[in-house]
Amino acid sequence: MADRIDLSLWILVADWLIRIGALLWIPARSRPAAARSWLLLVGFVPLLGLPLYLLLGHPWLSRQRILRQDQASSAIREGQLPQAALQWTPPEGSVAHETVPLVGRLGAFMALRGNAVRLLDDYDASLQSLLDAIDGAHQQVHLLYYLMFDDAVGERVVAVLERTAARGVRCRVLLDAQGARRGLRRYRRRLQAAGVELHAMLPGGLRWRSSGRADLRNHRKIAVIDDHVAYVGSQNLAEAGFVAGHPNRELVARVHGPIVAHLEAVFASDWYLETGEVLAVTPARPSHADDTACQLLPSGPAYPFPNAGDTIAALIHLARRRVVLTTPYFVPDDAIIGAMRIAALSGVEVQLILSASNNQRLTAMAQHACYEELLACGVRIALHRPGFLHAKHLSVDDDVALIGSINLDIRSFALNAEVGLLCYDRDVVADMRRIEADYLADAEVVALEAWRRRPAWRRSAEGIARLADSFM
């Protein structure tokens, strides 16, 4: 009997020590919203909450990776000096006038004029354009992708890399260790045998100390060929229907001009983070086809600030007439929700375009919890169908477009390495507006009164899912 009392006492003491320790430890190392969620979990189930927090509670990277990113950012700032003559100065009073210096301080890249940008929203045509560019390479091919599947597209990508490497072209490939695990498992030896230099990003496992938290991912999608042409956007190296029942719709920017060197610098930075090898980046020449001003926005846990979240919140606040946000996953932080609410209440047309189908059940439930507040203040929400709208972009007034790999969720803002291309150009925004209009033509509008009539159990489930998304 005494032994049972002693055991119960020890468990009680341990529970309260964990709770008190969590109260002192967690708020100093997590965002307030995340800290509240973790403290709630630890308070309910201390013996489960503590190990989960130690494993997943803080988006930490190894000191080596943070140091290398800092070194890479410094090198990027210095490496742009020869391009100073191409630096673009935005007109005073414009959205770009405040955005350009913010993005420059966050991500290290200046805005450059002299670029040509073409938006590709046809899945197969975009993929074929990339494969043709690789097939025509003369010097080097650099691919940086989150996902590569072992499907027909994976086979085509590997085949073109084999042909290109056989011609003596230097081919380097970076693939996320988790997102591309099927492609890495099937094609690693084949690509290496062909002379392609291949590395898995954020491998984790037994190398976690030199990597970081287990669920950190490199979510970027970038291709650079011969310092001449580059691709950036939302499309992975996989068939459109790689998730059964959810055929993807994407948007990719094909670019020429000096911004190509900046995309090359992002690839070189990630190559350095993974290998320690420094790659030379050759400044690209201005395009003769167009004179679009562009700027890169890299973000991720290696940076001191949430670059993507801060920039998107600023763009929404700066909008004067209209802002359109397109994303497959919408579980943003309070800053984005607040910016959208303030913009809508100020008379700005705020249009949110989401996918009616979603391959992430928990994420879908969490984003539903955001709808009522936004609808109540005048934000328009449209659910695109058919298929899965996986494109990630936004447009502000008639002046600024952002396209890349950035979802409007906390994972993209805090855990993933992402990249976005800012285009300060009315023609590019007009092209994006046409694509947005095409989405809206096949979309269901969410009405506030109808949404409020959903069952109480759904409200509860959505609220729990929204809370769970803050565990980071």
Side-chain angles (χ1 to χ4, degrees):
M1 185 68 176
D3 291 342
R4 291 182 181 177
I5 294 174
D6 288 344
L7 179 60
S8 299
L9 180 61
W10 277 112
I11 292 175
L12 180 62
V13 170
D15 276 2
W16 278 102
L17 285 175
I18 290 173
R19 290 186 176 101
I20 294 170
L23 185 61
L24 297 174
W25 179 269
I26 293 175
R29 290 162 177 80
S30 303
R31 296 177 301 105
R36 287 191 291 269
S37 299
W38 280 110
L39 288 172
L40 183 63
L41 178 63
V42 173
F44 271 109
V45 279
L47 296 178
L48 174 64
L50 177 62
L52 283 177
Y53 177 78
L54 294 175
L55 180 65
L56 299 173
H58 183 63
W60 66 273
L61 271 177
S62 68
R63 291 182 180 180
Q64 180 189 68
R65 284 178 178 269
I66 294 174
L67 176 61
R68 285 182 175 179
Q69 180 61 67
D70 186 59
Q71 293 169 339
S73 295
S74 296
I76 286 168
R77 289 187 175 93
E78 294 175 5
Q80 293 176 90
L81 296 178
Q83 295 180 301
L86 295 173
Q87 184 172 3
W88 180 69
T89 302
E92 290 192 17
S94 66
V95 173
H97 187 259
E98 296 189 49
T99 306
V100 166
L102 170 67
V103 175
R105 294 186 185 106
L106 289 172
F109 288 103
M110 66 174 67
L112 296 176
R113 57 183 175 80
N115 302 287
V117 179
R118 180 185 173 196
L119 299 183
L120 308 174
D121 68 328
D122 182 291
Y123 195 101
D124 293 333
S126 173
L127 176 65
Q128 189 59 54
S129 176
L130 171 62
L131 295 175
D132 290 344
I134 296 172
D135 230 352
H138 298 288
Q139 298 172 327
Q140 64 184 26
V141 171
H142 288 164
L143 303 182
L144 163 58
Y145 281 86
Y146 168 69
L147 187 149
M148 180 177 178
F149 246 44
D150 53 345
D151 58 13
V153 168
E155 289 288 340
R156 291 170 66 190
V157 172
V158 171
V160 73
L161 286 171
E162 288 175 325
R163 290 196 302 271
T164 304
R167 293 189 285 105
V169 175
R170 191 79 176 265
C171 297
R172 297 183 179 95
V173 178
L174 287 171
L175 297 173
D176 183 80
Q178 179 64 26
R181 64 187 184 280
R182 286 178 54 173
L184 285 164
R185 185 167 57 244
R186 181 163 182 175
Y187 301 125
R188 185 192 295 268
R189 292 183 180 178
R190 183 173 159 188
L191 286 170
Q192 290 173 339
V196 176
E197 299 174 56
L198 173 67
H199 289 279
M201 297 179 287
L202 294 165
L206 296 177
R207 290 172 286 178
W208 66 275
R209 287 186 178 275
S210 62
S211 181
R213 179 172 142 175
D215 61 340
L216 299 185
R217 302 269 56 92
N218 192 314
H219 193 241
R220 294 167 177 159
K221 293 97 174 167
I222 295 172
V224 184
I225 291 90
D226 281 349
D227 302 319
H228 171 67
V229 61
Y231 297 78
V232 60
S234 63
Q235 188 170 1
N236 287 294
L237 302 178
E239 292 181 308
F242 71 89
V243 177
H246 298 275
N248 284 18
R249 184 167 183 181
E250 311 284 1
L251 187 63
V252 173
R254 185 178 193 264
V255 299
H256 295 269
I259 201 68
V260 171
H262 287 191
L263 285 161
E264 177 78 341
V266 174
F267 177 91
S269 297
D270 282 344
W271 188 267
Y272 178 59
L273 260 65
E274 295 300 335
T275 69
E277 180 186 0
V278 177
L279 301 180
V281 177
T282 303
R285 290 173 293 181
S287 168
H288 297 296
D290 207 345
D291 191 27
T292 298
C294 295
Q295 188 176 23
L296 275 195
L297 171 66
S299 67
Y303 290 89
F305 303 106
N307 296 1
D310 285 355
T311 299
I312 292 171
L315 285 168
I316 297 170
H317 280 299
L318 291 167
R320 293 294 174 263
R321 295 180 300 280
R322 188 182 191 211
V323 57
V324 182
L325 305 102
T326 303
T327 181
Y329 307 117
F330 180 74
V331 192
D333 56 16
D334 291 341
I336 299 295
I337 293 287
M340 294 175 69
R341 181 180 65 248
I342 292 168
L345 291 173
S346 300
V348 175
E349 180 187 340
V350 182
Q351 175 71 66
L352 178 62
I353 305 176
L354 305 170
S355 182
S357 65
N358 197 310
N359 62 351
Q360 303 288 339
R361 185 178 297 273
L362 183 64
T363 299
M365 292 175 62
Q367 75 182 30
H368 291 165
C370 304
Y371 289 1
E372 187 167 337
E373 177 185 356
L374 294 174
L375 290 168
C377 63
V379 174
R380 302 175 183 179
I381 301 177
L383 306 179
H384 174 77
R385 59 177 89 239
F388 180 44
L389 183 59
H390 189 250
K392 313 151 199 300
H393 51 88
L394 67 85
S395 56
V396 178
D397 296 338
D398 298 318
D399 309 309
V400 182
L402 171 63
I403 176 174
S405 65
I406 304 165
N407 294 310
L408 295 183
D409 65 3
I410 299 171
R411 165 160 284 279
S412 264
F413 297 162
L415 300 182
N416 290 345
E418 307 280 9
V419 67
L421 174 70
L422 286 146
C423 300
Y424 306 106
D425 185 89
R426 285 178 172 266
D427 290 339
V428 174
V429 174
D431 287 343
M432 187 170 284
R433 290 278 190 242
R434 285 190 284 271
I435 293 167
E436 293 163 351
D438 191 46
Y439 297 157
L440 292 170
D442 290 316
E444 172 191 352
V445 176
V446 181
L448 176 59
E449 292 306 317
W451 186 252
R452 282 175 170 166
R453 291 195 294 268
R454 69 196 191 282
W457 67 265
R458 278 190 58 185
R459 291 172 177 266
S460 298
E462 291 160 4
I464 294 171
R466 182 73 173 95
L467 179 66
D469 199 75
S470 293
F471 285 112
M472 59 183 60

